[in-house]
């Protein structure tokens, strides 16, 4: 569907470009034809104006000369002389116009001859009148030669004027045809352009609808995946919590086994050694030394058993409470590591599972400090608030870059998981040379 919309849009765009190109082409062609027709029409107007001027000059020359012939008044010669001086210019102008028009050259040639004859006739009459040869100029005036010349001039001029009028009509029609063609072309191109624009809008709308459907489908798929992820996360969290509980149960079972079985064996062995000491010859230094070493070894084993049991299942936590168990844990850590531990502990009212989470968090933090921090002092603080409990373990050790903590850092990951499983939040803040702060906030459930 989307590919089909792209293809349709790919068709409509060239169609719109073609329509625009056609519109430009039609306008240019119409402009060129109209421009040529306008120039030709202007030329015909120029030709007719020149012919009219020439005819007007011929009439002025003939009228002025007749007035002079009849009255002898020199003032009548002014129109004649002015017209006679201008006619040659008129003929030269017309000759230049008709030079590129072969069909008019023959009529113009005859017209030039008739005008020359007419001017010769008028000039002859003027000379005879000035010579006071009245009979001669009256004779010339009374003949039909002048009339025939003027009729021929009018006829030839009329034919040239009519041909110019026909050309004007033709050029006007050409302009009208060009304008009509332009109107039709523009209207057609506008229709095509509107059609292309409609197709583009329709295809754009279809494409937008298809994109919206795809986005909806993607959103539905994302929602489904989020639900699946949440379900898988919940399942994994539940499994992790179950495994953690199983681990604690296994630790408790192992602690009980060590306490009951191994404790009984070590205690029985210690009692047997005590009986042996009372029956053997105590004066023998070697035997006394051996018995003393055996007693110390059994005491060390009993202490080791007690420490392992406490690590597996801190009896102090369930017998004495969180504050006392943390104090014992801190004191034992000081003895093993020679690192000073300051305590700021407040009593808390939390379920056993939450107290165990705090205990394990402090235990894991102290273990990490002893292994990696190179610290000389540690502060362990537990503060009780109405809605939550805040736990902080701060050291003055070497610190580290928290952004470079590897995913395989199971200690930190384990602490974070324990705290988050209890509904809390764990943060680790550290800089090289500035020590490390591990803090957690656990909610108080009423």
């Amino acid at each position: 569907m989307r590919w089909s919309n792209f293809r349709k849009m790919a068709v409509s765009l060239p169609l719109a470009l073609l329509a625009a190109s056609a519109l430009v082409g039609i306008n240019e062609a119409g402009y060129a034809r109209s421009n040529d027709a306008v120039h030709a029409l202007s030329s015909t107007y120029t030709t007719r104006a020149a012919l009219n001027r020439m005819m007007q000059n011929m009439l002025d020359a003939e009228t002025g000369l007749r007035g002079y012939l009849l009255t002898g008044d020199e003032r009548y010669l002014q129109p004649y002389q002015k017209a006679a001086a201008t006619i040659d210019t008129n003929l030269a102008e017309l000759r230049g116009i008709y030079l590129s028009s072969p069909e008019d050259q023959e009529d113009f040639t005859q017209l030039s001859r008739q005008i020359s004859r007419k001017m010769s006739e008028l000039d002859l009459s003027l000379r005879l009148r000035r010579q006071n040869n009245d009979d001669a100029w009256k004779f010339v005036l009374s003949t039909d030669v002048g009339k025939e010349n003027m009729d021929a001039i009018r006829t030839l001029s009329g034919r040239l004027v009519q041909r110019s009028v026909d050309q004007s009509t033709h050029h006007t029609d050409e302009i009208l045809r060009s304008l009509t063609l332009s109107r039709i072309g523009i209207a057609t191109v506008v229709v095509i352009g509107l059609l292309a624009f409609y197709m583009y809008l329709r295809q754009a709308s279809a494409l937008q609808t298809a994109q919206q459907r795809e986005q909806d489908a993607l959103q539905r798929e994302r929602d489904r995946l989020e639900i699946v992820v949440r379900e898988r996360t919940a399942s994994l969290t539940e499994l992790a919590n179950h495994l953690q509980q199983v681990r604690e149960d296994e630790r408790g079972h192992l602690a009980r086994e060590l306490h009951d079985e191994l404790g009984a064996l070590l205690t029985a062995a210690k009692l047997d050694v005590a009986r042996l000491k009372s029956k053997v010859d105590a004066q023998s230094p070697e035997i006394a030394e051996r018995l003393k070493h055996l007693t110390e070894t059994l005491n060390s084993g009993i202490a080791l058993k007690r420490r392992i049991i406490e690590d597996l299942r801190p009896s102090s936590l369930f017998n004495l409470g969180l504050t006392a168990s943390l104090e014992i844990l801190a004191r034992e850590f000081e003895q093993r590591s020679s690192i000073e531990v300051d305590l700021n502990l407040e009593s808390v009212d939390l379920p056993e599972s939450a107290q165990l989470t705090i205990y394990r968090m402090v235990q894991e933090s102290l273990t990490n400090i002893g292994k990696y921090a190179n610290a000389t002092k540690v502060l362990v603080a537990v503060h009780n608030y109405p809605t939550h409990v805040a736990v902080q373990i701060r050291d003055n050790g070497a610190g580290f870059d928290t952004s470079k903590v590897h995913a395989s850092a199971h200690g930190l990951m384990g602490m974070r998981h324990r705290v988050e499983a209890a509904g809390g939040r764990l943060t680790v803040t550290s800089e090289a040379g500035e020590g490390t702060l591990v803090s957690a906030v656990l909610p108080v459930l009423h």
Side-chain angles (χ1 to χ4, degrees):
M1 179 66 181
R2 190 173 182 179
W3 176 246
S4 175
N5 289 331
F6 276 123
R7 291 180 61 187
K8 290 179 180 178
M9 291 185 71
V11 171
S12 61
L13 184 58
L15 184 61
L17 293 176
L18 180 62
S21 300
L23 179 62
V24 173
I26 290 173
N27 283 334
E28 290 298 323
Y31 172 78
R33 294 181 61 181
S34 299
N35 189 51
D36 293 341
V38 167
H39 283 300
L41 187 62
S42 176
S43 179
T44 58
Y45 288 150
T46 301
T47 301
R48 271 190 286 173
L51 286 171
N52 289 333
R53 287 196 299 271
M54 186 197 66
M55 288 301 300
Q56 184 63 44
N57 288 330
M58 289 300 299
L59 291 175
D60 290 344
E62 184 179 28
T63 302
L65 184 61
R66 284 182 179 275
Y68 173 73
L69 292 177
L70 295 175
T71 62
D73 189 350
E74 291 289 337
R75 290 178 300 174
Y76 285 99
L77 288 180
Q78 291 179 0
Y80 168 77
Q81 292 171 348
K82 183 178 179 181
T86 309
I87 285 175
D88 290 338
T89 304
N90 294 144
L91 288 176
E93 181 181 3
L94 289 171
R95 187 175 295 107
I97 293 173
Y98 291 126
L99 188 63
S100 58
S101 179
E103 64 272 16
D104 294 329
Q105 284 185 359
E106 183 177 354
D107 289 341
F108 176 71
T109 301
Q110 295 180 12
L111 178 63
S112 298
R113 291 173 184 171
Q114 293 297 331
I115 290 174
S116 297
R117 292 174 183 174
K118 182 61 179 178
M119 293 305 296
S120 298
E121 174 201 341
L122 294 177
D123 185 61
L124 176 61
S125 298
L126 178 60
R127 286 199 309 270
L128 293 176
R129 179 69 174 83
R130 284 180 173 176
Q131 293 173 2
N132 295 320
N133 192 347
D134 295 337
D135 293 336
W137 68 262
K138 289 180 181 180
F139 174 77
V140 173
L141 189 63
S142 63
T143 62
D144 294 333
V145 175
K147 181 177 179 303
E148 291 176 356
N149 284 339
M150 283 302 297
D151 290 341
I153 290 172
R154 290 190 180 92
T155 300
L156 292 171
S157 177
R159 286 214 300 256
L160 291 173
V161 169
Q162 185 59 45
R163 194 174 291 122
S164 177
V165 169
D166 293 341
Q167 290 176 356
S168 298
T169 303
H170 172 73
H171 295 315
T172 303
D173 293 340
E174 183 69 21
I175 292 174
L176 292 176
R177 281 195 300 270
S178 178
L179 293 175
T180 302
L181 180 62
S182 297
R183 290 179 63 187
I184 294 173
I186 292 173
T188 303
V189 170
V190 168
V191 171
I192 294 174
L194 291 176
L195 178 61
F197 184 65
Y198 170 74
M199 291 174 61
Y200 174 79
L201 290 179
R202 184 174 179 181
Q203 290 147 14
S205 177
L207 181 59
Q208 185 177 5
T209 303
Q211 290 176 344
Q212 186 62 43
R213 284 199 298 268
E214 290 183 2
Q215 291 178 359
D216 294 340
L218 289 174
Q219 185 61 43
R220 289 193 297 270
E221 184 64 17
R222 282 196 295 268
D223 294 340
R224 188 187 68 81
L225 291 176
E226 287 180 1
I227 294 174
V228 172
V229 169
R230 283 197 297 268
E231 291 176 351
R232 296 289 175 84
T233 302
S235 299
L236 291 174
T237 302
E238 183 178 355
L239 177 60
N241 292 335
H242 174 70
L243 293 176
Q244 180 176 302
Q245 186 60 43
V246 169
R247 182 185 179 189
E248 290 296 335
D249 292 342
E250 288 292 333
R251 283 184 168 190
H253 175 72
L254 182 58
R256 286 190 299 271
E257 289 292 328
L258 289 173
H259 180 271
D260 296 340
E261 301 295 334
L262 183 59
L265 291 175
L266 291 175
T267 302
K270 188 175 180 180
L271 292 174
D272 289 340
V273 171
R275 292 191 191 99
L276 286 174
K277 287 175 66 176
S278 64
K279 293 182 179 182
V280 298
D281 186 5
Q283 298 300 320
S284 175
E286 183 178 356
I287 294 175
E289 182 68 25
R290 290 292 180 182
L291 290 175
K292 181 181 178 182
H293 178 71
L294 181 58
T295 301
E296 291 176 353
T297 302
L298 289 173
N299 289 334
S300 298
I302 292 172
L304 177 61
K305 181 264 301 183
R306 186 180 300 112
R307 189 168 65 251
I308 292 174
I309 291 174
E310 286 297 317
D311 287 341
L312 291 174
R313 185 73 170 176
S315 59
S316 60
L317 176 64
F318 302 103
N319 296 326
L320 304 176
L322 180 61
T323 301
S325 64
L326 291 179
E327 290 174 349
I328 294 172
L329 180 63
R331 185 170 63 250
E332 291 179 349
F333 176 76
E334 277 186 326
Q335 292 174 356
R336 291 196 308 269
S337 63
S338 300
I339 299 175
E340 181 184 355
V341 179
D342 291 337
L343 298 176
N344 184 2
L345 306 177
E346 296 178 3
S347 298
V348 297
D349 183 14
L350 290 173
E352 287 187 358
S353 59
Q355 293 186 32
L356 181 59
T357 297
I358 295 175
Y359 182 87
R360 294 298 188 195
M361 172 187 166
V362 174
Q363 184 183 42
E364 181 66 26
S365 298
L366 292 176
T367 300
N368 290 336
I369 291 171
K371 288 181 178 180
Y372 311 112
N374 295 324
T376 59
K377 191 173 183 178
V378 179
L379 171 64
V380 177
V382 177
H383 298 288
N384 189 26
Y385 297 97
T387 58
H388 65 276
V389 173
V391 182
Q392 292 184 337
I393 303 94
R394 183 189 299 273
D395 67 73
N396 62 350
F400 62 96
D401 187 354
T402 57
S403 63
K404 296 181 179 179
V405 176
H406 199 270
S408 61
H410 300 299
L412 289 176
M413 296 298 293
M415 282 193 294
R416 189 181 302 279
H417 175 73
R418 279 181 177 274
V419 172
E420 291 178 353
R425 183 179 70 255
L426 177 77
T427 57
V428 179
T429 306
S430 181
E431 292 184 9
E434 298 295 332
T436 302
L437 171 64
V438 178
S439 60
V441 176
L442 286 84
V444 175
L445 302 178
H446 298 286

